[in-house]
Amino acid sequence: MIIPYHLLQASGSVIFAAQGVDILSFNTSMEHLSTWKYPVKATETPSEPAADAEASATVEAPPTPEGPPAKRRRTENDEKEAHAGDAGTPNSTNGQKKGRFHNKPQPVNLSNEKPFINCLLATANGSHVIAATGSDKTIWVFEHDGSGNLKQLSQRAMPKRPCSLTLTTDQKKILSADKFGDVYALPLLPSAEPTLPPTVQSLPSRSATPASAPIPFKPQANDKTVHTKRNLKALENQKISMELSLKAAAERSAEESQPAFEHTLLLGHVSMLTAITVAPGIGATGEKREWIITADRDEHVRISRGIPQAYFIEGFCLGHEDFVSRLCVVPGREELLVSGGGDDDVFLWRWKEKQLLGRANILEEIKNTIEPELTKIAVSRLKGFSLASGETVVAVICEKIPAVVLFTLVEDTLKHTATYSLKEQGVPLDVELLPNDNLLVSIDTTEGKPDAAAPFLVLTRNGPDSWDQKPVVDVPAGETELNGEEMQKLLYTTESLRKMSDFD
């Protein structure tokens, strides 16, 4: 199966779309402009044998730790391998004998890792595009020339895999949230960054996962088996040496796991962090300030002060009964926040006062239009758009639900506009606003009818509460293919945030 366009980001008159490991750009007519491909070297060329390419795409496994070898029980497989080795039977893919004396470390194939793009955003002026890739935990920053062409400026591997990105209001710092509950700040444009050799830059970074430290020697004797004064003294010295070795190994591991570039830990959650956004506002003395709003799996929406006081918690917006997966500061009405996740509703908050203004029932709207037997939903996209007419539209997409639900902000309430069924086209993955006030929807056509072939759908407004649908077919199909299981893991991860007790 070809990977669909699973992330969208508008930047002026250019639309960026993530497709697996690639970023494609389109104009407002959805004509293809350019493609940025993940920089992995080709594993094979016509002039080189396949063996050389395979060797260039592998790395040797880490060396065996020092110290006494651990004892292990001989198994039936060991007996078979030993007999195979004694008989001279080749039992490995490279033609070498594998037996009692041929258990060499096997290479680790990096081609099995798929660093798919899981975050995509652009600066307010469209000069830079930021992306995050999953398995290599890397944040990429690109310079955008305004015509859809991207030039890579930096590549930074974070300590943990980023799950959500946003920018500060001055557009100078990236805030990266990971599912371990930490939020880091790093400059959009680093002043100085160590440059890796081209061969290292072309492969997924492993700097955030250092190799295991050697296991220090542990004495077998103890104070109950040693009695002489001289031996007791020697045993005490061995214990001191072992403690110092363990401490040094821990310090080396901590130093190796820290990225070499500038980054600052701002705040942390005790639960799995799922979303982050930044909201501007006015402080108590009238100065301009910003707040960091984060959400987690434990139903919390937390309001923290901005840099440099991000450690200070202003309060919580409490009311969700299930996980919170998406946050959206309403454009043009930055004092309002919309949140959604595993609940039946999306919530509208006056976030600074931690006041719940209202709830809009998504589950009932979908049941009335598409699936009457539906019992639960998981919000996978939640975006607000300010139209040229002055209206504010909030679009909601739920995971594996073939529909886009639209609301209009009327004063301090969310008014349901329409629920558009996409059963014939497939399942919507993301939505973005085009400059002409149309909405662009990316679709997973594998979940639609067999003849569904439009990866995009444009919703054109023709009235206050009416939108027309127009499929966009003539776009590049992409090159990266996945099987069904891998596709599910890449595109549909929101429902997995629901706690197991909720299924009982």
Side-chain angles (χ1 to χ4, degrees):
M1 299 180 184
I2 299 295
I3 299 178
Y5 297 92
H6 58 283
L7 292 174
L8 298 176
Q9 176 62 53
S11 178
S13 59
V14 177
I15 304 296
F16 292 99
Q19 186 183 43
V21 297
D22 303 330
I23 301 176
L24 290 82
S25 60
F26 302 88
N27 59 18
T28 54
S29 301
M30 297 311 296
E31 297 172 346
H32 180 235
L33 299 176
S34 68
T35 301
W36 176 84
K37 291 186 174 293
Y38 186 88
V40 176
K41 286 187 174 181
T43 56
E44 185 175 356
T45 61
S47 59
E48 297 177 354
D52 294 340
E54 183 176 334
S56 65
T58 60
V59 294
E60 289 295 329
T64 305
E66 297 178 359
K71 294 183 179 180
R72 58 187 291 270
R73 180 174 295 178
R74 191 176 182 87
T75 63
E76 184 179 352
N77 290 336
D78 296 334
E79 294 287 349
K80 293 180 179 178
E81 291 181 359
H83 288 302
D86 294 340
T89 304
N91 196 23
S92 61
T93 57
N94 56 9
Q96 294 180 348
K97 296 179 181 180
K98 183 178 179 183
R100 186 180 304 169
F101 303 106
H102 297 280
N103 294 327
K104 294 183 178 181
Q106 296 299 310
V108 180
N109 193 349
L110 293 182
S111 63
N112 292 330
E113 297 194 11
K114 299 180 176 64
F116 295 117
I117 298 169
N118 57 9
C119 299
L120 184 66
L121 71 156
T123 55
N125 61 5
S127 60
H128 295 87
V129 174
I130 304 100
T133 45
S135 62
D136 59 357
K137 312 172 190 176
T138 300
I139 295 177
W140 307 74
V141 177
F142 307 93
E143 182 181 18
H144 177 215
D145 65 355
S147 302
N149 301 307
L150 296 179
K151 176 185 176 182
Q152 180 186 327
L153 298 181
S154 66
Q155 170 188 351
R156 289 169 279 185
M158 299 300 294
K160 301 295 181 183
R161 181 179 304 189
C163 66
S164 183
L165 298 179
T166 191
L167 288 164
T168 53
T169 53
D170 60 5
Q171 306 288 291
K172 293 182 179 180
K173 289 185 180 294
I174 303 171
L175 302 187
S176 170
D178 60 52
K179 288 190 176 180
F180 283 79
D182 295 331
V183 175
Y184 289 89
L186 54 158
L188 175 67
L189 302 176
S191 55
E193 187 174 6
T195 303
L196 299 175
T199 54
V200 178
Q201 287 184 336
S202 63
L203 294 176
S205 172
R206 293 175 176 266
S207 60
T209 310
S212 302
I215 302 175
F217 173 73
K218 183 178 180 180
Q220 299 296 322
N222 55 56
D223 54 2
K224 294 183 180 180
T225 59
V226 175
H227 304 287
T228 65
K229 184 176 181 179
R230 180 176 178 180
N231 289 346
L232 286 172
K233 182 64 176 178
L235 179 61
E236 186 67 25
N237 290 337
Q238 288 182 357
K239 290 181 178 180
I240 295 174
S241 177
M242 182 179 65
E243 292 176 358
L244 293 176
S245 299
L246 289 173
K247 183 178 179 180
E251 291 176 353
R252 285 196 304 271
S253 177
E255 291 176 358
E256 292 175 0
S257 63
Q258 292 300 318
F261 53 83
E262 179 185 351
H263 67 292
T264 305
L265 178 63
L266 297 181
L267 57 90
H269 281 231
V270 295
S271 177
M272 180 185 294
L273 205 153
T274 56
I276 183 171
T277 189
V278 170
I282 304 297
T285 59
E287 78 283 5
K288 291 184 178 181
R289 293 177 54 185
E290 67 179 13
W291 284 261
I292 300 173
I293 306 177
T294 48
D296 63 28
R297 191 186 181 191
D298 285 346
E299 307 94 38
H300 298 139
V301 177
R302 185 169 116 181
I303 314 298
S304 305
R305 290 184 182 177
I307 301 172
Q309 295 180 318
Y311 56 84
F312 192 95
I313 302 175
E314 292 278 3
F316 294 85
C317 294
L318 300 177
H320 284 275
E321 298 179 359
D322 216 312
F323 65 88
V324 185
S325 57
R326 295 291 166 179
L327 298 172
C328 172
V329 174
V330 180
R333 295 286 304 277
E334 283 77 12
E335 75 277 10
L336 301 182
L337 173 77
V338 184
S339 60
D343 294 292
D344 298 346
D345 311 323
V346 291
F347 291 61
L348 179 64
W349 307 87
R350 195 178 296 277
W351 58 264
K352 196 172 181 181
E353 290 80 13
K354 280 75 70 179
Q355 177 188 2
L356 178 62
L357 299 179
R359 304 164 67 152
N361 195 305
I362 302 294
L363 180 62
E364 285 300 320
E365 298 295 346
I366 296 176
K367 288 174 64 176
N368 295 336
T369 307
I370 302 175
E371 299 186 21
E373 304 300 324
L374 192 65
T375 58
K376 61 179 182 292
I377 58 171
V379 176
S380 57
R381 291 293 185 275
L382 179 61
K383 290 186 175 182
F385 307 111
S386 181
L387 305 183
S389 61
E391 294 178 285
T392 300
V393 174
V394 176
V396 183
I397 294 176
C398 298
E399 189 169 86
K400 286 194 173 183
I401 303 297
V404 178
V405 186
L406 299 180
F407 293 90
T408 302
L409 183 66
V410 180
E411 295 182 352
D412 291 344
T413 59
L414 289 174
K415 176 188 174 183
H416 178 251
T417 301
T419 301
Y420 290 96
S421 173
L422 304 178
K423 273 190 173 182
E424 295 185 359
Q425 293 88 347
V427 171
L429 299 176
D430 203 355
V431 59
E432 191 55 88
L433 179 69
L434 298 175
N436 51 9
D437 279 0
N438 295 337
L439 294 179
L440 177 68
V441 182
S442 62
I443 300 176
D444 178 11
T445 56
T446 62
E447 298 288 335
K449 286 189 174 181
D451 58 347
F456 293 111
L457 181 73
V458 176
L459 297 179
T460 304
R461 192 170 191 181
N462 58 10
D465 299 329
S466 178
W467 300 71
D468 290 335
Q469 302 180 18
K470 178 183 177 182
V472 180
V473 180
D474 190 18
V475 293
E479 301 175 357
T480 307
E481 294 190 15
L482 291 179
N483 59 39
E485 183 179 354
E486 290 177 325
M487 188 85 79
Q488 296 295 318
K489 290 180 179 179
L490 169 65
L491 303 179
Y492 306 109
T493 59
T494 307
E495 182 62 39
S496 63
L497 296 173
R498 200 181 302 275
K499 298 177 182 178
M500 296 303 296
S501 58
D502 295 344
F503 293 105
D504 299 337

